[in-house]
Amino acid sequence: MAVSLLSFLLFSFFNLQVVNGIEIYSMKIDSKVTSRFAHNIITSRAVNRGNVHKEVVFDVELPKTAFITNFSMTIDGVTYPGTIKEKEVAKKQYEKAVSKGQTAGLVKASGRKTEKFTVSVNIEAASKVTFELTYEELLKRQFGKYEMFIKVKPKQLVKDFEIEVNIFEPQGITALEAEGTFITNDLQNIIKKTFSEKKGHISFKPTLDQQRTCANCSQSLLDGDFTVKYDVKRTTPDNLQIVNGYFVHFFAPTNLPNLPKNVIFIIDISGSMSGREIEQTREALLKILDDIKGDDFFNFILFGSEVHTWKETLIKATPENLDEARKFVRGIDTEGLTNLHGGIMRGIDMLNAAHEGNLVPKRSASIIIMLTDGQPNVGISNPQDIQTHVKKAIEGKYPLYNLGFGYGVDYNFLEKMALENKGLARRIYPDSDASLQLQGFYDEVSNPMLTDVELNYPENEISDLTKNSFKHFYDGSEIVVAGRFIDSNQNSLTVDVRGEGVSIDFFDLKETAKAFQEQQYIFGEYIERLWAYLTIEQLLEERIAATGEEKENLTAEALDLSLKYKFVTPLTSMVVTKPETYDNQDGIADKPIEGRDVFTVLLYLSIDGDPHFIISVPQKKDALCFNINENPGAVLNLINDPVTGITVNGELIGDKRVNSDAKIQNTYFGKLGIANKHLDLRLTVTPEKITIQNGNEKTGFTWLDSVTLQQEGLTLIINKEKSLVLKMGSGASFVIVLHQVWKKHPLHQDFLGLYALEREKLSEQTHGLLGQFFHPIDFTILEIHPGSDPKKPDATMIVKNNELTVTRGWQKDYRRDPKHGVDIPCWFVHNNGAGLIDGVHTDYIVSSLF
Ligand SMILES: *[C@@H]1O[C@H](CO)[C@@H](O)[C@H](O)[C@H]1NC(C)=O
Ligand SMILES: *[C@@H]1O[C@H](CO)[C@@H](O)[C@H](O)[C@H]1NC(C)=O
Ligand SMILES: *[C@@H]1O[C@H](CO)[C@@H](O)[C@H](O)[C@H]1NC(C)=O
């Protein structure tokens, strides 16, 4: 008793701390759907209200079918964007960063329909962080509706919480629903929903009080799925949409009768199914029998160690036969091992015989559904052999659906075998609703309308077509085909659709569409992205069943597209540039487990201290550094970009008095001048004050101010006595760090450090002592050998066709921790950077700050 009370107290205390320390004050989910293609942005803003630095965790659950396309963090006004990299490349970068202690990490876990992404970052007291995650997804039609679900779980009351969904469907919207599993009757009317013609809008914006589980409670009731469902009108020619050289075709006939179907249920009754699993299976089969239609044919095949069949052939679903089947199903019991090969081959042979003997209607759809919870271990049990036999026996005539019950199955094998035979695999989660999951799957395939559907487009006009032939078309679903025009200016297309239905030998439809005019609601190049999404999805699927060179080719193709369109797929990762974490931080660098990962590493480019210059070379995952030794009073040109008009100059100061013993005097930056010619803007920063001159207008601040200033072309944030963040015009941004020394220090005085971020926002013509390194630089290190300091080896470096002797050393990055800094290992170039910098260092001396 005492123990549980104590743990309860600890737990509450912990909870309280998290909530009190980190406040999520805003969470917005903004979703734009255009022609089924959803573009969602989740923005979460938090502030550290505590008085020490704290970890802020951003975790969201996304649909498994979605691809992340962007992720960024903004800490105290500075944005650290994500970039997509090939997974292996990103992993190496990540591991390197882990070894340097510079990471935040990602933990991923999978749920039934979702994948969880977690990113954590340490932020200082009173600091703010914004996380922004973008993902895209093609909504699939099922049971006559497109469904999008958003997992909602803010874990605390959020002052500003909002879900907003905007739908644009050129075909016209016929129904729109929105619901939340957590929504009580009181909350029902907070969901605002409107739609007319082509546009639908949903908003859900509960106040703080409405989020409470009870009056005065501090717990949030927002925890569950928020689901949006809608359907569209079936009109021609809007089924076919053409935008900017790409087309997409949505095919879903609605007024056809269903085909009779021939279903073989192949059920695993091996010993491992005993207990709840077999009970749930019986329950599901009984429900399914209620749904089987009078003109369907069916049979059951059971496999344990032996194979048993209910009837010798497929039989018609007459009321008498259904009654008999119910008795049979109630009597199903478990026995023995898993003769999967025997069961599945018996089923295929039976279906083949039924077709050959004209036992089943000519116009009908045959389906094989196999359920297993284990791995084959009797008869032929090598998965490879089973696959070969099954493929040869089915010959593409019927789709094979493999249902894997629980986690004891070899899901990979089931999936490969199903995909090879035009079906699909599904996992049945061992839970109280397992029988509903089984029925749900049956419902999806229980209403075939057409078989052997082919959608043809003129071959000489189209390239890179996605999958265009389908074994079955089921009522309530939709076939989507996309492609690219060979002539990107082409703006009309003719399509020919064929398929076999119940009353028609040949369903044959010709349709012509013209380019789509209404582009104002469309984000970006949505049809092109939809095409890329669909292509990648299909390549990844084909890859599952492929081997050897074919698999390599499919992988290469999917990787290329993932990188080009910036999708985080199983082949790519997102690398997020992020400031270093604290020295004393506990390891949060959990290694990603599987699937899609987001990594974080640090990239930097800075001048700080002596002045020492640190140049990060991301492609080498290494850094270069050098010092400039000049006299106090000298002004150095650091950055000069004639295109954006931005220049940064720095004036050197020395120590308070000259140390006569030292050969070289220490110097620091005591004054920085940042100008933007185009904006007529000049900023002067010293360790005492910050002055902005805009035309003739002058504004001054001291380092004691906490300021966020936003005006045209300029964002300035002063973090009291710490740092200053500056964003200018095109987006180039700088961080200036204030180094304060003890006021009565006999030697040193306060100085400044400069860090340049988003270097890509400056032009190609950027130069200057620091600016020249905004362009990619390559170097080679040869012959590492002992130097004069035993801890710092020397090496030969080839850079810009020069051969230099360099020394391994460390320089400090002070952005996060201005007192101690963080050591950055780098190759130190001697003699004022000679050979590394263009020209000689004195070329960079200018006459004044502006
Ligand atoms: C990713 O998000 C960041 C932050 O909103 C934005 O600046 C950037 O342009 C986005 N990148 C892409 C490729 O959309
Ligand atoms: C909520 O708290 C306020 C102030 O403490 C109190 O006056 C009120 O009665 C409380 N309401 C409920 C329902 O407990
Ligand atoms: C793989 O790609 C190469 C180069 O494009 C091609 O020559 C080869 O035939 C492809 N192999 C397969 C199995 O598709």
Side-chain angles (χ1 to χ4, degrees), residues 214-217:
C214 66
N216 288 5
C217 287

Side-chain angles (χ1 to χ4, degrees), residues 490-557:
Q490 183 171 336
N491 56 14
S492 73
L493 181 68
T494 301
V495 48
D496 183 4
V497 185
R498 285 151 189 257
E500 283 183 49
V502 69
S503 54
I504 24 177
D505 263 341
F506 238 31
F507 178 84
D508 198 344
L509 176 91
K510 266 202 169 49
E511 181 183 330
T512 303
K514 281 224 169 342
F516 195 47
Q517 298 306 320
E518 289 173 87
Q519 296 198 13
Q520 65 266 40
Y521 302 108
I522 293 168
F523 65 85
E525 308 281 319
Y526 87 96
I527 288 196
E528 181 173 350
R529 293 193 68 80
L530 190 161
W531 163 83
Y533 172 101
L534 206 56
T535 306
I536 293 170
E537 199 182 45
Q538 292 175 2
L539 288 169
L540 292 173
E541 196 178 284
E542 282 175 56
R543 189 173 158 261
I544 292 171
T547 52
E549 193 186 46
E550 191 194 356
K551 185 167 188 149
E552 277 168 29
N553 285 4
L554 290 166
T555 305
E557 228 180 300

Side-chain angles (χ1 to χ4, degrees), residues 69-72 79 81 132 566:
T69 59
N70 199 359
F71 176 75
S72 70
T79 299
E132 191 184 287
K566 305 196 185 339

Side-chain angles (χ1 to χ4, degrees), residues 481-494:
V481 181
R484 195 153 66 90
F485 288 102
I486 288 167
D487 170 5
S488 63
N489 292 320
Q490 183 171 336
N491 56 14
S492 73
L493 181 68
T494 301

Side-chain angles (χ1 to χ4, degrees), residues 511-678:
E511 181 183 330
T512 303
K514 281 224 169 342
F516 195 47
Q517 298 306 320
E518 289 173 87
Q519 296 198 13
Q520 65 266 40
Y521 302 108
I522 293 168
F523 65 85
E525 308 281 319
Y526 87 96
I527 288 196
E528 181 173 350
R529 293 193 68 80
L530 190 161
W531 163 83
Y533 172 101
L534 206 56
T535 306
I536 293 170
E537 199 182 45
Q538 292 175 2
L539 288 169
L540 292 173
E541 196 178 284
E542 282 175 56
R543 189 173 158 261
I544 292 171
T547 52
E549 193 186 46
E550 191 194 356
K551 185 167 188 149
E552 277 168 29
N553 285 4
L554 290 166
T555 305
E557 228 180 300
L559 174 62
D560 272 1
L561 283 174
S562 304
L563 290 172
K564 175 160 183 216
Y565 289 94
K566 305 196 185 339
F567 286 123
V568 180
T569 67
L571 304 174
T572 49
S573 290
M574 184 159 274
V575 178
V576 185
T577 62
K578 177 194 151 290
E580 73 286 0
T581 51
Y582 295 83
D583 296 348
N584 58 354
Q585 186 192 314
D586 286 332
I588 49 163
D590 287 300
K591 258 180 99 102
I593 306 153
E594 54 166 5
R596 310 162 205 175
D597 312 324
V598 179
F599 300 130
T600 58
V601 295
L602 167 70
L603 300 178
Y604 42 86
L605 188 65
S606 69
I607 324 165
D608 211 334
D610 281 352
H612 65 240
F613 289 67
I614 316 175
I615 314 298
S616 87
V617 185
Q619 69 272 27
K620 291 268 175 200
K621 295 167 201 137
D622 208 340
L624 303 176
C625 47
F626 59 95
N627 279 354
I628 297 292
N629 303 305
E630 260 306 320
N631 293 326
V635 179
L636 298 172
N637 174 244
L638 303 174
I639 298 168
N640 182 16
D641 178 6
V643 177
T644 59
I646 292 177
T647 54
V648 181
N649 294 331
E651 186 178 323
L652 297 179
I653 53 168
D655 283 333
K656 283 176 185 162
R657 60 187 160 77
V658 179
N659 182 349
S660 49
D661 298 339
K663 270 196 243 125
I664 298 169
Q665 197 194 344
N666 287 332
T667 52
Y668 309 92
F669 282 111
K671 206 184 237 182
L672 290 169
I674 303 173
N676 188 325
K677 220 166 49 194
H678 300 341

Side-chain angles (χ1 to χ4, degrees), residues 36 138-142 146 171 234 239-240 248-253 449-457 466-482 497-499 507 530 534 538:
R36 294 69 152 164
L138 180 63
L139 305 181
K140 292 207 168 53
R141 188 165 181 262
Q142 240 183 24
Y146 303 94
Q171 286 166 282
R234 289 293 152 186
N239 290 335
L240 197 52
V248 59
H249 184 194
F250 301 104
F251 176 74
M449 275 183 161
L450 293 170
T451 62
D452 301 295
V453 184
E454 257 188 52
L455 299 92
N456 291 307
Y457 310 86
T466 61
K467 188 172 155 190
N468 68 330
S469 76
F470 303 83
K471 194 69 212 165
H472 290 171
F473 169 75
Y474 297 107
D475 193 10
S477 70
E478 180 178 68
I479 284 172
V480 184
V481 181
V497 185
R498 285 151 189 257
F507 178 84
L530 190 161
L534 206 56
Q538 292 175 2

